[in-house]
Amino acid sequence: MRAETVTTPETPFAAVLEPGYADYALEEAAIQPFGARVLPVPAGEDALSALADKNVFAVLTRERRIDPALYSDVPGLKLILRYGVGVDNVDLKTATERRIHVANIPDYGAENEVSDHVIALYLAVARRIVTRDAEVRAGLWGVGQKSPVPGHRNATIGLIGFGRIARAACTRFRALGFSRVLVSDPYLDAKTRAAWDVEATDLDSLCRQADVVSLHTPLTEATRNIIDARRIGLMKENAVVLNASRGGLIDEKALAEALHAGNVFGAGIDVFEAEPPAPGSPLLGAPNTVLSDHCGWYSEASVGELQRRAGAELVRVLEGAPPANWVNRW
């Protein structure tokens, strides 16, 4: 990846925790004029040991939680950058106290990928694509009318959160024939509501009325398990629950119990409270549930844009400026 690998104790490093992309050539090319290098820290490797005695100015992460010791034991650290939107794996309070910038990359075009993935999960669940595939492969035929399939003509979609991804999903659900859009979002203003022709409502009312409940909100202490047993109990028996946002938003045990009991129709889940889910995770055995591996954001185009924007943020910090998408402003 590097044209020049010679480093000195003064070489600035941008450390990537648990690297998962094919390479980091875009980030490396952006910071190389400053004499800086990318330092991958593989999964399972102790970050503090890997970064010891190195001039680390930035740490980049996807899902890995930042070791609390990094805030104090990496003295030159100026930036923690999240590849993506949510920053619930970063201790914002400690970072602010240490005057470490925390930034995310909210605008790398993944709203199209994620909203497409949400629709794919919905259709796979509602049309029972996965179970039909298994039955046909097992030699069964004519099973399509033996299990109920909910229609969506003039149905109601309930969106929890109404940022870029939710708005893209709104457009797609309407194209499928959903005629009513309910939104639960404390930041939804009258202008946006009118422009998108959506109905603002509280979360309990949304759960009662929606045929499909789709989550599009960050994970915070206020939103953790926002879809719990009580709210699942408010949902229609034909409701489909979709989550391509953050895993901790749903009480997975309660959702699995409702699916087993037939109290909700199905679920499409791309994110989990623990990733990867443990072998005994309740959703793994839940009926009419389609699962994917936190890949809703992914396409070759979105990854390239994500890495280019990450490189631009690294450059800003090396130039002595704050990041453009600075989360913990002081």
Side-chain angles (χ1 to χ4, degrees):
M1 180 175 67
R2 302 182 178 112
E4 173 60 63
T5 58
V6 176
T7 62
T8 70
E10 291 74 34
T11 300
F13 282 101
V16 180
L17 304 187
E18 297 187 6
Y21 305 136
D23 60 52
Y24 291 85
L26 291 170
E27 294 92 329
E28 182 101 329
I31 64 177
Q32 199 165 26
F34 298 86
R37 296 290 181 266
V38 171
L39 175 66
V41 181
E45 185 171 334
D46 179 68
L48 282 177
S49 298
L51 305 185
D53 302 322
K54 292 183 174 64
N55 178 23
V56 176
F57 76 95
V59 167
L60 297 86
T61 183
R62 293 196 302 169
E63 305 306 321
R64 180 165 168 176
R65 185 164 293 279
I66 302 297
D67 186 330
L70 283 176
Y71 299 101
S72 57
D73 292 0
V74 181
L77 186 60
K78 297 180 176 65
L79 172 68
I80 297 172
L81 180 61
R82 163 81 162 89
Y83 278 114
V85 182
V87 291
D88 48 282
N89 54 341
V90 180
D91 185 338
L92 295 177
K93 181 175 182 294
T94 301
T96 303
E97 291 171 351
R98 297 280 178 178
R99 289 299 190 263
I100 300 169
H101 296 95
V102 177
N104 62 357
I105 307 175
D107 52 352
Y108 61 98
E111 59 266 23
N112 292 321
E113 279 77 4
V114 178
S115 56
D116 284 350
H117 199 79
V118 168
I119 295 298
L121 288 172
Y122 165 68
L123 290 173
V125 172
R127 299 300 306 175
R128 298 182 181 270
I129 298 299
V130 174
T131 52
R132 291 291 176 270
D133 176 85
E135 288 163 346
V136 171
R137 292 175 189 277
L140 300 178
W141 195 256
V143 295
Q145 298 183 47
K146 295 181 181 180
S147 300
V149 171
H152 48 248
R153 182 67 59 185
N154 296 322
T156 298
I157 173 69
L159 301 171
I160 303 173
F162 202 60
R164 281 186 297 270
I165 294 172
R167 296 175 196 186
C170 177
T171 300
R172 286 156 173 74
F173 276 110
R174 279 189 164 134
L176 289 179
F178 284 76
S179 60
R180 188 182 181 205
V181 181
L182 302 178
V183 173
S184 175
D185 186 333
Y187 302 104
L188 179 66
D189 56 54
K191 182 179 179 181
T192 302
R193 186 173 68 246
W196 284 85
D197 189 24
V198 300
E199 300 175 43
T201 188
D202 62 89
L203 187 52
D204 284 1
S205 295
L206 183 151
C207 289
R208 288 191 187 95
Q209 299 179 67
D211 298 291
V212 177
V213 176
S214 189
L215 289 100
H216 301 277
T217 188
L219 178 63
T220 66
E221 286 308 308
T223 61
R224 185 173 296 279
N225 282 350
I226 196 171
I227 298 300
D228 56 10
R230 184 185 70 80
R231 287 194 169 118
I232 293 169
L234 299 176
M235 295 180 187
K236 301 177 180 181
E237 287 188 0
N238 70 339
V240 174
V241 178
L242 304 171
N243 189 11
S245 185
R246 306 299 283 178
L249 298 172
I250 295 178
D251 182 334
E252 295 178 359
K253 181 173 182 292
L255 178 57
E257 289 174 351
L259 288 161
H260 280 290
N263 294 332
V264 294
F265 178 82
I269 305 295
D270 184 52
V271 290
F272 298 83
E273 188 169 5
E275 295 184 346
S281 173
L283 287 177
L284 296 182
N288 204 25
T289 303
V290 177
L291 310 176
S292 55
D293 58 335
H294 201 152
C295 63
W297 60 275
Y298 178 79
S299 73
E300 286 81 359
S302 67
V303 169
E305 184 64 17
L306 183 67
Q307 293 189 267
R308 278 188 289 273
R309 290 183 181 269
E313 291 287 46
L314 295 175
V315 167
R316 289 186 185 96
V317 172
L318 285 168
E319 290 176 336
N325 295 299
W326 183 8
V327 175
N328 62 329
R329 293 178 180 270
W330 56 75

